[in-house]
Amino acid sequence: MSHNNLTGVIPSCISKLQNLDSSFDVSNNKLCGEISAEIGVTLSDLEVLNLAGNEFSGSIPSSICSNIPIYSSSTIDLSNNKFSGVIPNTIGNCRNLESLNLGNNSLKGNVPNEIGQLHFLNYLQLQDNYLEGTITFISKFPDLDVLNLANNHFQGNIPRALFGPQHPYVRIISLRSNKLNGSLPNEISLSHLLILDLSHNQLSGHIPTKLGRYWMNLPSYSSVQLTDQRNDNDIQLQMVINGIMVQFQKVYPYDSVLDLSCNMFEGNIPTEIGRSKGLRRLNLSHNHLSGNLPVSIADMSNLVSLDLSFNTLSGQIPHSLTSLDSLGFLNLSYNELSGKIPRGTHFDTLGVDGWAFVGNALLCGEPTKKVCEVEEDDQNDDQEDASEKLIFYSIVFLGFVVGFWGPFLVMLIKRDKMWFLYWKFIDYFVVVIIRCIQNK
């Protein structure tokens, strides 16, 4: 009964459907009210329970996972509703649960420890709630594929186990907009990593040098959706794309993202980042990164978006960036970059209005209005060349007059007074030329 305009509450007679043991899907309607405990018992016998996209309110009934059926629920989706209260600890009774989506509600409190009993969990989406506490529970899911805990109040360190061999299949990690702190481990073993979004936290330290190698050989385009084809799960992600927050309902294998923006990372951008040839979007803005822009960024042949703004990066912009024809968004603003902005047929279109380079006082050239010192030297050289040419032609002219016409004038001049005036004129002209040379 999904995707209709059904209104009202779920009738209590649903509890009389004793043979309903497979799926109950009323998602994307306008249903409201609370889920009674009596209905929860009946729904706990299902393999798929989908109440997403409605206006259900109240607490999530603990009876939903109170029974342990033979085919315990493989999917529970209560996202995009108005559920409040805490996540019931009975959720741990659904031992065979593969997908749990409680995102975009008003849930609060800590995630119950019993959730760690869901050893077969592949998809865990708790985004857009008011959940708090640490996220140590994520180390309990060895088959984790998608983890979305964005826009909550989680705090503490990110468990190092998340980046280790304990999670060999994880492809999407979104922990954005929490209060997580600490540093990232130097050793990261995520061979299937596609999207890593740790933005808007309080993470610090250096960016691991080995992080870039996980986007080496991703496909440039594919029509295969990154979803669980058996249950058609929606992966609900919010990501910043070209400076704008975008809500994704489907994710594709070519949508590769590394977003570490709005943290406190410091040090240089590792040169190994150039190994991420399959990475399409890189956002390291609003950190404390320093040093030069690595030339290896030009090796990221599939890069379509690059945001390094609001750091303390210095040095010149590598000319090799002009070779990235796939690049469609560039932001290097508010750093300490210097020198002439490189030119290129495609590169010039990325910052035609100058906003991509604003806040770098030492940058010059197009599209800024500041003339580079090299160009000023060229203009001075042109003026000096013109002055030298004028002096040269003057000397040639004087030599011609003295050497060719001098003897004839000497023979024609008879009077001493005229002779004196002639040589006085020659001396004056020579003095003028000498002064020009000295002033130069």
Side-chain angles (χ1 to χ4, degrees), residues 16 21 41 62 101 155 307 316 332-333 427 430 440:
K16 298 181 179 180
D21 59 5
V41 172
S62 58
N101 190 349
Q155 56 190 4
D307 191 347
Q316 296 186 345
L332 303 178
S333 62
D427 290 341
V430 171
K440 175 180 177 298

Side-chain angles (χ1 to χ4, degrees), residues 158 160 163 181-188 196 198 202-212 258 260-261 263-273 284 287-292 311-313:
I158 300 176
R160 293 182 178 268
F163 301 104
N181 53 36
S183 59
L184 298 181
N186 292 325
E187 295 296 328
I188 297 179
L196 178 60
L198 305 179
Q202 301 169 12
L203 301 171
S204 58
H206 293 261
I207 298 176
T209 57
K210 297 182 180 181
L211 188 58
L258 173 58
L260 304 180
S261 63
N263 280 286
M264 297 182 289
F265 289 108
E266 57 186 7
N268 298 337
I269 299 175
T271 56
E272 290 81 2
I273 199 71
L284 305 179
N287 279 286
H288 305 303
L289 299 173
S290 58
N292 296 338
N311 283 286
T312 57
L313 299 170

Side-chain angles (χ1 to χ4, degrees), residues 60 78-85 87 101-109 125-132 148-154 177-178:
I60 298 175
L78 308 182
S79 63
N80 298 294
N81 279 288
K82 299 178 180 180
F83 287 113
S84 58
I87 300 175
N101 190 349
L102 305 179
N104 196 16
N105 281 288
S106 298
L107 301 173
K108 61 182 181 179
Q125 301 184 81
L126 305 178
Q127 73 282 354
D128 296 288
N129 282 287
Y130 302 100
L131 300 171
E132 55 189 19
N148 189 356
L149 306 180
N151 298 307
N152 279 286
H153 301 303
F154 291 117
S177 298
N178 280 285

Side-chain angles (χ1 to χ4, degrees), residues 114-339:
E114 288 78 4
I115 199 172
Q117 300 173 11
L118 308 179
H119 299 302
F120 298 100
L121 201 63
N122 300 135
Y123 295 78
L124 178 59
Q125 301 184 81
L126 305 178
Q127 73 282 354
D128 296 288
N129 282 287
Y130 302 100
L131 300 171
E132 55 189 19
T134 64
I135 58 173
T136 55
F137 57 86
I138 62 179
S139 60
K140 303 291 185 178
F141 313 125
D143 295 329
L144 197 62
D145 191 346
V146 173
L147 175 66
N148 189 356
L149 306 180
N151 298 307
N152 279 286
H153 301 303
F154 291 117
Q155 56 190 4
N157 295 339
I158 300 176
R160 293 182 178 268
L162 178 62
F163 301 104
Q166 298 94 327
H167 296 89
Y169 308 111
V170 64
R171 290 181 285 178
I172 294 179
I173 299 175
S174 180
L175 304 178
R176 63 173 294 116
S177 298
N178 280 285
K179 300 177 182 179
L180 301 171
N181 53 36
S183 59
L184 298 181
N186 292 325
E187 295 296 328
I188 297 179
S189 302
L190 299 176
S191 57
H192 293 81
L193 188 59
L194 181 67
I195 294 175
L196 178 60
D197 188 351
L198 305 179
S199 61
H200 293 270
N201 280 285
Q202 301 169 12
L203 301 171
S204 58
H206 293 261
I207 298 176
T209 57
K210 297 182 180 181
L211 188 58
R213 68 182 183 181
Y214 301 108
W215 291 275
M216 291 181 61
N217 299 309
L218 294 176
S220 58
Y221 179 81
S222 174
S223 59
V224 180
Q225 298 174 353
L226 183 62
T227 57
D228 188 332
Q229 298 299 323
R230 292 169 297 178
N231 299 321
D232 193 27
N233 291 308
D234 286 335
I235 300 176
Q236 301 170 5
L237 284 176
Q238 280 188 339
M239 291 186 290
V240 173
I241 304 297
N242 298 349
I244 301 174
M245 182 68 72
V246 177
Q247 179 75 41
F248 283 79
Q249 295 295 331
K250 301 291 182 182
V251 179
Y252 299 88
Y254 54 84
D255 287 326
S256 49
V257 177
L258 173 58
D259 192 343
L260 304 180
S261 63
C262 300
N263 280 286
M264 297 182 289
F265 289 108
E266 57 186 7
N268 298 337
I269 299 175
T271 56
E272 290 81 2
I273 199 71
R275 297 179 181 178
S276 307
K277 296 183 179 180
L279 189 63
R280 291 176 62 83
R281 305 184 189 278
L282 175 62
N283 190 348
L284 305 179
S285 64
H286 294 85
N287 279 286
H288 305 303
L289 299 173
S290 58
N292 296 338
L293 292 178
V295 180
S296 61
I297 290 181
D299 297 331
M300 303 170 70
S301 54
N302 288 317
L303 198 64
V304 299
S305 176
L306 176 63
D307 191 347
L308 305 178
S309 60
F310 291 92
N311 283 286
T312 57
L313 299 170
S314 58
Q316 296 186 345
I317 300 174
H319 189 272
S320 56
L321 280 182
T322 60
S323 64
L324 289 177
D325 293 334
S326 60
L327 199 62
F329 177 83
L330 175 68
N331 192 354
L332 303 178
S333 62
Y334 297 98
N335 279 283
E336 299 175 4
L337 300 172
S338 60

Side-chain angles (χ1 to χ4, degrees), residues 426-436 438:
I426 295 300
D427 290 341
Y428 173 78
F429 199 75
V430 171
V431 170
V432 171
I433 294 176
I434 293 174
R435 286 179 178 175
C436 290
Q438 289 176 346

Side-chain angles (χ1 to χ4, degrees), residues 3-68:
H3 294 87
N4 285 287
N5 290 314
L6 299 177
T7 60
V9 300
I10 296 179
S12 59
C13 60
I14 291 293
S15 61
K16 298 181 179 180
L17 299 177
Q18 300 297 325
N19 295 325
L20 188 63
D21 59 5
S22 179
S23 174
F24 183 74
D25 187 352
V26 292
S27 61
N28 297 290
N29 282 287
K30 299 178 181 179
L31 299 172
C32 60
E34 298 185 8
I35 307 299
S36 66
E38 182 182 14
I39 295 176
V41 172
T42 301
L43 299 181
S44 68
D45 291 332
L46 301 172
E47 291 184 45
V48 177
L49 172 60
N50 194 346
L51 308 180
N54 284 284
E55 300 177 7
F56 293 118
S57 58
S59 302
I60 298 175
S62 58
S63 57
I64 282 185
C65 282
S66 59
N67 294 339
I68 305 179

